[in-house]
Amino acid sequence: MLDLFADDAPWSEPLAEGAVILRRLVRDEGAALLALVLDVAAQNPFHHRITPGGHRMSVAMTNCGDLGWSTDARGYQYSEQDQATGRHWPPMPPRFRQLATAAAAQAGFADFQPDACLINRYEPGAKLTLHQDKDEKDLRQPIVSVSLGLPAVFQFGGFERGDATQRVLLEHGDVVVWGGPSRLRFHGILPLKAGVHPVAGAYRYNITFRRAR
């Protein structure tokens, strides 16, 4: 039985209305989740996408599920196939789907069923600038974001890019869920600091679940 009073027990840390960090929620199964990530990457390798403005993203990404998110000169889009290869995305592992649904429910969003899973790999110096997740058709559905590997500083802002941001450290096994009144808040990741994680080595991996259609 889980001892809720143990120093390493999971706990919830509110960020804003409709947004919460589920600290250490999946820390104990981090190695198993990372193995699933690497299995997806073996089928669809990590790739540095090019933004519509012609910039190479510092974060490498892959996808799994019915739909995958990508960016190129034509813009940002979800599609059933990787536009770079013409192949369908790998299927979403059942454990990923279970994790996303359970975490969303714990954060107050019942019946979340993701159809897209974006996986980002960060190396030292990689970052994700402030942005909104707004390419999904149903913005009533939350975002579920899982951190594995090296720690990173997560920025969680307001509804305009220039709004003040909270800066919180995300560590291996933390899960962030946001939706409802916080669904369109700007968020990002500051440049990753170098280090070596016992499970993930020199990288941080971020598994993000969405309902895209």
Side-chain angles (χ1 to χ4, degrees):
M1 179 180 295
L2 178 66
D3 181 0
L4 297 178
F5 297 98
D7 290 340
D8 60 351
W11 77 93
S12 297
E13 180 181 322
L15 279 174
E17 185 180 1
V20 63
I21 305 175
L22 304 175
R23 293 287 189 185
R24 300 177 179 170
L25 183 68
V26 296
R27 186 184 62 176
D28 291 345
E29 62 172 314
L33 293 174
L34 181 56
L36 293 174
V37 166
L38 297 180
D39 182 61
V40 169
Q43 300 172 67
N44 184 274
F46 283 103
H47 180 67
H48 293 271
R49 307 282 170 170
I50 305 299
T51 69
H55 300 288
R56 177 181 181 269
M57 294 184 68
S58 62
V59 173
M61 67 176 60
T62 186
N63 291 267
C64 62
D66 298 334
L67 297 172
W69 183 93
S70 62
T71 174
D72 57 25
R74 295 168 295 177
Y76 306 106
Q77 66 271 321
Y78 283 99
S79 61
E80 295 180 352
Q81 299 175 326
D82 183 350
Q83 302 301 314
T85 66
R87 298 174 57 189
H88 283 275
W89 302 107
M92 189 185 305
R95 178 57 189 135
F96 278 12
R97 195 179 305 275
Q98 295 164 359
L99 164 58
T101 299
Q106 187 169 334
F109 300 98
D111 302 321
F112 175 57
Q113 295 296 329
D115 57 9
C117 175
L118 172 61
I119 306 173
N120 288 331
R121 185 185 69 190
Y122 293 76
E123 59 188 23
K127 63 181 180 180
L128 204 58
T129 57
L130 286 171
H131 65 283
Q132 296 168 301
D133 291 338
K134 58 182 181 180
D135 298 321
E136 299 76 30
K137 290 185 178 180
D138 185 357
L139 296 179
R140 296 171 300 177
Q141 299 292 325
I143 302 293
V144 176
S145 178
V146 180
S147 293
L148 299 174
L150 290 175
V153 177
F154 179 60
Q155 294 180 287
F156 197 66
F159 301 100
E160 301 291 337
R161 190 180 301 275
D163 289 348
T165 62
Q166 302 179 62
R167 293 186 176 186
V168 294
L169 187 69
L170 296 180
E171 298 182 289
H172 180 70
D174 290 343
V175 179
V176 186
V177 182
W178 67 96
S182 287
R183 178 60 175 76
L184 288 177
R185 285 182 179 270
F186 277 84
H187 56 281
I189 293 288
L190 292 181
L192 189 72
K193 293 184 178 181
V196 177
H197 188 271
V199 172
Y203 297 105
R204 172 186 187 255
Y205 295 88
N206 176 229
I207 314 171
T208 305
F209 299 97
R210 298 111 181 266
R211 182 73 188 179
R213 64 181 177 189

